[in-house]
Amino acid sequence: MQKFFGAITVLLCVFGGYMWAGGQLGAIWQPAEFLIIVGAAAGSLIIGNPPQVLKEMRRQVRATLSAPKEEYQYYMELMALLNHLLEIGRSRGFKFLDSHIEAPHHSSIFLAYPKVGEDYRLISFITDNLRLMAMGQMSPHELEGLLEQEIEAIQTEMLLPSRSMHRTAEALPGFGILAAVGGIIITMQAIDGSIALVGYHVAAALVGTFIGIFGCYCCLDPLSNAMAQRVRRNMTAFECVRATLVAYAAKKPTLLAIDAGRKHIQLDIKPTFNQMEKWLAEQE
């Protein structure tokens, strides 16, 4: 809803102000200019990015424009899942979890927490590191260093789509100038025509510059920023898991290990210790 309201505000202010000043919307509709700019932007994205980045970009754009997930419930389920896994690991050993770790999408433990199960990257992060902890003793310091490196690598990869879109946004004014120069060339070819015809071609050429600037600062740049912020917010779940596993490796009680992860949740959705403790007790 917030992003929809922002988009409506941009459109109303930009085009409403243009019409208030006496402009006509029909003059902005120049299909050839749109084709040049949009085609150049799409082509540059295809040339400059591998298929997996383009696929992830589409996924992130859809996620950014869609309704936000229920984050409070998501993190409550995440803490309950970690509590369940670590309690089993403490009482029966991590070897008992082998079947669940090897096939999390068929595991009764993971299936009990569907909101977390939808995040395949986080599930992979959890299972990989539980497998690592099950293979042998590792000091909390060593484990923390490995987890921090893995989280940094995941975040860098997840930010590639927003960075690529940001670079394309920065190029849009240049693509607009490209379209405008093409329009000026057409104008020069019609210089011996009527003043009205020359004026029409000049206006059409300037529309290219307008579209490029509008697309950069009102569309792609805000969208790329929203994508990057969403990625960084989602990475909080990985930080939550990291802090929990490191605290568990340091021989902290399971409840205190879960609380170490809770402290990394964003303030606007972070449950209190009592809320977390009550929730975990209800899940047992």
Side-chain angles (χ1 to χ4, degrees):
M1 177 58 77
Q2 178 183 340
K3 293 179 177 61
F4 176 77
F5 177 76
I8 292 298
T9 301
V10 169
L11 292 174
L12 286 178
C13 291
V14 173
F15 292 100
Y18 167 77
M19 295 177 65
W20 192 3
Q24 297 181 358
L25 284 178
I28 296 179
W29 176 242
Q30 301 294 335
E33 304 287 322
F34 279 95
L35 176 63
I36 293 172
I37 296 169
V38 174
S44 66
L45 279 174
I46 294 172
I47 293 172
N49 296 282
Q52 63 269 23
V53 173
L54 296 176
K55 182 178 179 181
E56 179 62 23
M57 184 182 295
R58 290 194 297 270
R59 192 193 69 80
Q60 289 189 22
V61 168
R62 288 196 299 268
T64 301
L65 298 179
S66 62
K69 63 183 180 181
E70 299 177 358
E71 291 182 301
Y72 181 83
Q73 185 66 25
Y74 172 84
Y75 280 103
M76 291 300 246
E77 285 196 7
L78 175 59
M79 290 188 292
L81 171 62
L82 293 173
N83 181 70
H84 194 166
L85 292 170
L86 296 181
E87 280 294 309
I88 292 176
R90 190 179 297 276
S91 61
R92 302 186 183 182
F94 285 116
K95 289 295 182 181
F96 180 82
L97 291 171
D98 280 350
S99 60
H100 298 278
I101 292 174
E102 294 301 327
H105 297 296
H106 300 288
S107 164
S108 59
I109 296 177
F110 287 93
L111 291 176
Y113 307 97
K115 292 187 182 300
V116 179
E118 294 174 356
D119 192 342
Y120 70 93
R121 285 191 177 89
L122 183 62
I123 293 297
S124 177
F125 180 77
I126 293 172
T127 54
D128 285 351
N129 288 292
L130 286 178
R131 187 182 295 111
L132 181 66
M133 293 171 67
M135 291 173 63
Q137 292 295 326
M138 179 178 294
S139 71
H141 178 72
E142 292 173 329
L143 180 62
E144 185 172 22
L146 288 174
L147 296 184
E148 286 179 348
Q149 291 177 2
E150 185 175 359
I151 290 174
E152 183 179 357
I154 293 172
Q155 179 169 315
T156 299
E157 181 180 349
M158 295 293 289
L159 286 173
L160 285 177
S162 62
R163 289 171 179 168
S164 296
M165 183 170 289
H166 179 69
R167 286 194 294 269
T168 301
E170 290 180 329
L172 272 182
F175 295 147
I177 293 173
L178 175 66
V181 170
I184 294 299
I185 293 173
I186 295 174
T187 302
M188 293 298 101
Q189 293 174 340
I191 197 68
D192 59 343
S194 64
I195 295 178
L197 181 62
V198 172
Y200 172 82
H201 286 305
V202 171
L206 292 176
V207 167
T209 304
F210 172 85
I211 296 171
I213 295 173
F214 179 83
C216 172
Y217 296 108
C218 297
C219 297
L220 292 193
D221 190 57
L223 181 58
S224 67
N225 184 55
M227 290 165 58
Q229 289 187 25
R230 187 182 182 91
V231 167
R232 293 189 181 98
R233 188 173 179 90
N234 290 343
M235 292 306 298
T236 302
F238 291 84
E239 293 290 346
C240 180
V241 174
R242 177 193 63 79
T244 299
L245 295 183
V246 170
Y248 181 85
K251 308 300 182 182
K252 299 292 184 183
T254 304
L255 184 61
L256 293 184
I258 300 299
D259 185 57
R262 180 191 65 88
K263 296 181 186 300
H264 288 268
I265 300 175
Q266 297 92 346
L267 289 175
D268 57 319
I269 58 172
K270 180 166 67 175
T272 64
F273 181 87
N274 289 336
Q275 289 174 325
M276 178 198 72
E277 187 178 24
K278 181 180 178 181
W279 168 262
L280 294 180
E282 291 174 352
Q283 301 305 305
E284 292 179 356

